[in-house]
Structure formats: C-alpha cells, structure tokens
Amino acid sequence: AGNHEDGGGKLDDFYNYGDMAPATQDSDSGLYYSFDYATAHVIVLNTNDADATNGLSTAQFDWLKADLEANKDAKWIFVLMHKSLYSGGSHSFDGDVEAMRAQLVPVFYEYGVDLVLAGHDHTYTVTECLDGEGNAVARATANGGVITMNADGDGVMYVTLGTIGTKFYEYVSNSEIEGKFSAENSILATLTAQTFAKISVKGDTLTYTGYSVNDDGTLSVIYNEPADDLLLVKILVPIAGVILIAGIVVAVVLVKKNKAKKAAADTGSFGEGSDAE
C-alpha cells in the first residue's frame, strides 16, 4: 500500500490475500502480510500504518517481529515497503520515515533480512549493505553495475526504485543518510528517465542490476565509474601529457643536433684531424 491507497480499504477490495494477511488488522489504510516464493520469504509492510513517534504501529511491529522469528531460517528474506528508509528525496526527512528508520533497521539486520525494496520518493538509490546501526559492512560485490550477494552474509541492502512513470522528484541531499549510498550504483541527481531493477536468485547467490530506460526504448545499466578510478584518470592524463611534451622536446633537440652535425659535415668543420663521410 502506498500513500495513494491510504484510506477506503482499496487493496482489500480488489485482492484476495487469503491467509497471508493477519485477519485482525485494520485494512482501511492498506495491508501487511507475508508469503513464501521458492527459497525466499517475502514480507510486505503497510507504511501508511505508521507515525512520527513510534514508526510502525505496535500491532504491525509485533506481527513483523513474530513473522521474522518464525522465518529466520529462510535462505532469503525480502521486505517490500512503500516509504523508503533510505532515499534521495525530501521524504527522507519525514517524521514517520525517520521513526521507522530508527525502529526497523536494527530489526532487519538482527533477523537476517537481505534486501529492502521501497519507493515513495521518485529517486533511485542503492545503499551499501548496512548493519543494525546503519554502518556499511562488507557483504556485496559490484562489477559494472551488477551487484552480487551471497546468502550466508550479513548486511541489508536498501533500494529506492525510482519511477516507472514520468513523475520525477527533485534529488535532495540528506547528510544523515547520503553517506550510506553506493555512489557507483545510485543516481545521486534528479531522474530524467524511468528506472527499474532485475533481481535473480540462483542457489546461494543473488544478483541485482538496476536499469534506466533510454528515449529510444533501449536499456542502460545504472553504473557510475568509481571515484578512485576517476581520480586515477585525472592524475594519469596530466602525467601522460607531461611525458608527451617532454618526448616532443627531446625529439626536437635531437633533430636540431642531427641537422647541426649534418651541416658541419657538409662544410668540413668537424675540427682538426676529423674525417668527414
């Protein structure tokens, strides 16, 4: 449920959730529920059911912890929630989002959640894998925009998926969370194109790839050259230029010397006792 489904029980009117959703919840603002798919346990939260004081309601938070405890041995655990805990938009400052960030990040890490997918801000950001205090941990590896994660590792990756429509939010810097983003795999600017992601799980390995949609309908992998590589280029290019200029100067000097020697040979001015050929 997104903020546009907050009220009127819209989701409950159109979808049959069966026993996935707890029957005791008030579904007016949306629904929270979970299900299993292959080797993954998927949890869907209702972020309309949250406030700036506590984060998720007590009822939903208690259900979440019980669900995580019951499924802690699942190979993969994915969480879907509309309001993003880590985004590059103005909603990252919202009170309910800040409260959920403080409430949920430690719990997600404690119970081994692997990936959290969210929206709300129409911006595209991918965090490093984070621990329960929001600090980066070495779990995932990235190569040219393709992120690989092993099932046995610890650390949660949070993704704000941008937009598949034409409504783009202004990118807003938030010093509290911006350092958590993977700069190589995020778009740290206002979007100009649609974005989406492909997630593939094979055995113990998850592969995540973000894409942007070009004007001609083709796709581009979302990837920015690492800052270290760019710095290396900035250093090497001037050095190469200096070497090139030095080489040209040496070549000019050698040419001038050769011309002087040839001229001396032609006039027989090699000095007394010299043989000219």
Side-chain angles (χ1 to χ4, degrees):
N3 52 295
H4 292 284
E5 291 75 53
D6 188 1
K10 296 178 178 62
L11 296 183
D12 208 14
D13 286 343
F14 294 97
Y15 296 97
N16 178 14
Y17 291 90
D19 59 0
M20 293 189 300
T24 55
Q25 67 180 296
D26 179 4
S27 61
D28 184 66
S29 68
L31 285 163
Y32 52 90
Y33 56 96
S34 67
F35 60 92
D36 294 320
Y37 183 81
T39 57
H41 183 66
V42 182
I43 298 171
V44 182
L45 299 179
N46 176 18
T47 54
N48 293 328
D49 180 31
D51 60 46
T53 301
N54 302 305
L56 293 181
S57 69
T58 300
Q60 184 174 183
F61 187 56
D62 288 346
W63 169 86
L64 170 64
K65 290 191 293 183
D67 187 83
L68 285 167
E69 177 65 32
N71 294 280
K72 62 184 179 182
D73 293 329
K75 180 169 286 189
W76 300 99
I77 302 177
F78 303 143
V79 173
L80 282 65
M81 53 193 297
H82 182 70
K83 295 180 180 179
S84 175
L85 303 182
Y86 295 96
S87 74
S90 61
H91 288 306
S92 68
F93 295 94
D94 291 351
D96 58 346
V97 171
E98 291 181 335
M100 285 190 289
R101 191 183 305 135
Q103 177 192 45
L104 297 177
V105 168
V107 173
F108 288 163
Y109 180 73
E110 177 186 354
Y111 284 99
V113 171
D114 299 290
L115 182 63
V116 178
L117 301 173
H120 201 39
D121 275 319
H122 295 208
T123 58
Y124 185 90
T125 51
V126 178
T127 70
E128 304 287 353
C129 289
L130 305 179
D131 65 14
E133 296 180 348
N135 299 315
V137 294
R139 178 183 183 183
T141 58
N143 184 13
V146 179
I147 302 171
T148 303
M149 183 186 301
N150 190 276
D152 295 332
D154 294 320
V156 188
M157 191 168 81
Y158 297 83
V159 181
T160 307
L161 284 163
T163 183
I164 203 64
T166 57
K167 184 180 181 182
F168 305 121
Y169 283 16
E170 181 179 354
Y171 179 83
V172 178
S173 175
N174 183 342
S175 60
E176 291 293 321
I177 64 173
E178 193 167 42
K180 318 292 185 184
F181 298 145
S182 167
E184 290 79 19
N185 301 291
S186 301
I187 301 176
L188 302 182
T190 302
L191 292 179
T192 58
Q194 297 173 325
T195 54
F196 69 97
K198 177 185 177 182
I199 301 164
S200 175
V201 172
K202 294 182 179 180
D204 292 336
T205 303
L206 178 147
T207 302
Y208 175 98
T209 311
Y211 294 92
S212 60
V213 183
N214 302 318
D215 291 340
D216 61 359
T218 59
L219 306 177
S220 295
V221 173
I222 296 173
Y223 175 68
N224 307 298
E225 288 289 340
D228 290 345
D229 290 353
L230 292 176
L231 179 62
L232 187 61
V233 169
K234 290 177 181 179
I235 293 172
L236 290 180
V237 167
I239 290 175
V242 170
I243 293 172
L244 178 61
I245 291 170
I248 292 173
V249 170
V250 170
V252 169
V253 170
L254 290 175
V255 168
K256 286 184 176 180
K257 285 187 175 181
N258 286 335
K259 285 184 176 179
K261 291 175 74 174
K262 186 175 184 302
D266 290 342
T267 58
S269 57
F270 274 85
E272 188 176 354
S274 297
D275 292 325
E277 294 182 358

